[in-house]
């Protein structure tokens, strides 16, 4: 891996992936994205990892797709490169992914943060889809996810002007879970990750899948989907353990079974 750093067990059952092209503000070139996809897929299969944290550095989570790599390309070149196949695979990750964002999360960087399940932001985080300023538009979900998160008016404004959204505004509009000082944003993401990593992993996976269904289907279908996953949790040992522990007034010992 050239552009990705992986650190396992930063907390029990929590793994950290760091985007590592600091000189280019972690611009997401094709190699970085496929390394990210490979690492996430490896962690999704890794028994010791329950939750994944993705971060950049203090100055930038990621300043977008790599403009220098895209600059001379034709539509056909872009179609053949088919980079969104990589993004689709990341989107299918079963385990929760938390984005720890400081500094710039722009274009593909903002889209990557939104592809994650939750966002912990530092006070310096700036979100935006500035593609319009370089003659293109969002391509990795920005028009869809930003609109779902912020509502039409604000999403339209950001996509058409390229303006940035401050951390405070991102919080007040529900794009991010929490903002904290720069010094502790990664710690804060680890704390959230550790709390989720201590939950029964099969229920976590089924619950993540169910919440995401809310963005795919109508309410009736979504409720049916949720109900089936709810029933499924009753086939796990962790459900028996969780309920027994409650009744016996002790801490549950979840085993992911
Ligand atoms: C390639 C980038 C880059 C990018 C920054 N750099 N963003 N290289 N692709 N997206 C490089 C710069 O060229 C420079 O390299 C170095 O990182 C530092 O950047 P500066 O511009 O000098 O830093 P600063 O003045 O602090 O400005 C920060 C910035 C600006 C406001 C974030 O870099 C910026 O506007 N970047 C582009 C943001 C953007 O348009 N993103 C959308 C991309 S399109 P050198 O070698 O000169 O030192 C996109 C499409 C997604 O994301 C859909 C498909 C996945």
């Amino acid at each position: 891996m050239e552009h990705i750093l992986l650190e396992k067990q930063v907390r029990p059952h929590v793994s950290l992936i760091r985007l590592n092209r600091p000189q280019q503000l972690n611009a997401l070139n094709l190699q970085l994205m496929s390394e990210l996809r490979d690492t996430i897929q490896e962690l999704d299969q890794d028994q010791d990892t329950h939750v994944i944290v993705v971060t950049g550095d203090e100055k930038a989570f990621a300043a977008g797709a790599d403009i220098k790599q895209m600059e001379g390309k034709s539509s056909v070149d872009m179609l053949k490169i088919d980079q969104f196949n990589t993004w689709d695979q990341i989107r299918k990750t079963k385990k929760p992914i938390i984005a720890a964002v400081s500094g710039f999360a722009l274009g593909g960087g903002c889209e990557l943060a939104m592809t994650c399940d939750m966002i912990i932001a530092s006070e310096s985080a700036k979100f935006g889809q500035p593609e319009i300023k370089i003659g293109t538009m969002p391509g990795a979900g920005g028009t869809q996810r930003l609109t779902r998160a912020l509502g039409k008016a604000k999403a339209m404004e950001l996509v058409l002007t390229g303006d940035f959204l401050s951390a405070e505004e991102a919080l007040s509009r529900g794009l991010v879970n929490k903002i904290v000082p720069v010094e502790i944003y990664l710690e804060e993401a680890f704390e959230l990750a550790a709390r989720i990593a201590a939950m029964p992993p099969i229920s976590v996976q089924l619950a993540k899948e169910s919440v995401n269904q809310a963005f795919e289907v109508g309410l009736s279908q979504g409720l049916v989907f949720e109900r089936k996953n709810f029933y499924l949790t009753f086939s796990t040992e962790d459900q028996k353990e969780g309920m027994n522990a409650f009744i016996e007034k002790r801490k549950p010992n979840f085993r992911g079974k």
Side-chain angles (χ1 to χ4, degrees):
M1 299 283 169
E2 193 184 335
H3 300 315
I4 292 288
L5 300 174
L6 170 63
E7 216 179 312
K8 289 190 175 176
Q9 302 293 323
V10 289
R11 291 284 186 281
H13 303 295
V14 177
S15 291
L16 172 69
I17 298 174
R18 204 184 266 280
L19 312 179
N20 188 35
R21 291 186 77 206
Q23 307 304 323
Q24 305 297 311
L25 305 184
N26 297 321
L28 306 169
N29 66 10
L30 296 173
Q31 186 184 337
L32 184 153
M33 285 307 297
S34 57
E35 289 178 6
L36 178 63
R37 185 259 331 269
D38 292 347
T39 309
I40 287 178
Q41 285 186 332
E42 178 196 318
L43 294 175
D44 214 20
Q45 297 296 320
D46 173 23
Q47 294 300 315
D48 291 332
T49 298
H50 294 178
V51 180
I52 301 164
V53 176
V54 176
T55 197
D57 53 45
E58 281 186 16
K59 177 147 193 220
F61 177 71
D66 192 317
I67 299 169
K68 293 162 191 163
Q69 196 173 46
M70 288 185 293
E71 181 265 327
K73 300 277 188 292
S74 69
S75 302
V76 175
D77 294 333
M78 293 299 275
L79 192 79
K80 283 186 178 162
I81 289 168
D82 190 21
Q83 63 182 310
F84 299 119
N85 187 31
T86 307
W87 288 73
D88 287 342
Q89 288 172 293
I90 293 173
R91 184 166 71 91
K92 289 183 185 144
T93 310
K94 296 189 181 76
K95 292 173 185 170
I97 308 179
I98 298 171
V101 175
S102 183
F104 299 111
L106 304 177
C110 185
E111 290 167 315
L112 179 61
M114 292 191 292
T115 301
C116 298
D117 300 301
M118 285 161 279
I119 303 175
I120 297 294
S122 86
E123 287 164 347
S124 76
K126 290 178 244 338
F127 299 86
Q129 299 289 159
E131 292 93 337
I132 201 84
K133 292 181 172 174
I134 53 167
T136 182
M137 59 171 279
T143 63
Q144 303 305 299
R145 292 202 178 90
L146 207 60
T147 306
R148 283 168 168 79
L150 305 180
K152 178 182 165 184
K154 196 67 189 177
M156 191 70 86
E157 182 188 326
L158 293 187
V159 168
L160 299 190
T161 63
D163 285 353
F164 299 162
L165 195 70
S166 68
E168 290 83 43
E169 221 177 338
L171 180 69
S172 71
R173 292 178 169 274
L175 181 67
V176 309
N177 293 70
K178 194 167 184 179
I179 37 176
V180 291
V182 181
E183 299 74 40
I184 59 163
Y185 77 101
L186 205 47
E187 284 298 309
E188 192 69 30
F190 291 167
E191 287 307 313
L192 176 61
R195 285 172 53 213
I196 298 167
M199 298 296 166
I202 299 171
S203 291
V204 167
Q205 178 185 322
L206 295 173
K208 165 177 166 164
E209 194 181 53
S210 301
V211 171
N212 281 335
Q213 276 296 300
F215 295 97
E216 304 288 342
V217 301
L219 182 60
S220 299
Q221 261 182 292
L223 290 174
V224 170
F225 189 93
E226 177 192 78
R227 214 159 289 168
K228 288 191 171 156
N229 275 355
F230 171 72
Y231 291 146
L232 192 48
T233 63
F234 283 74
S235 295
T236 65
E237 290 178 17
D238 284 346
Q239 174 268 330
K240 307 284 175 273
E241 168 63 9
M243 293 195 181
N244 279 329
F246 174 80
I247 291 162
E248 292 164 9
K249 299 186 188 297
R250 60 176 172 81
K251 263 189 87 179
N253 176 24
F254 294 126
R255 292 161 7 118
K257 291 183 178 172

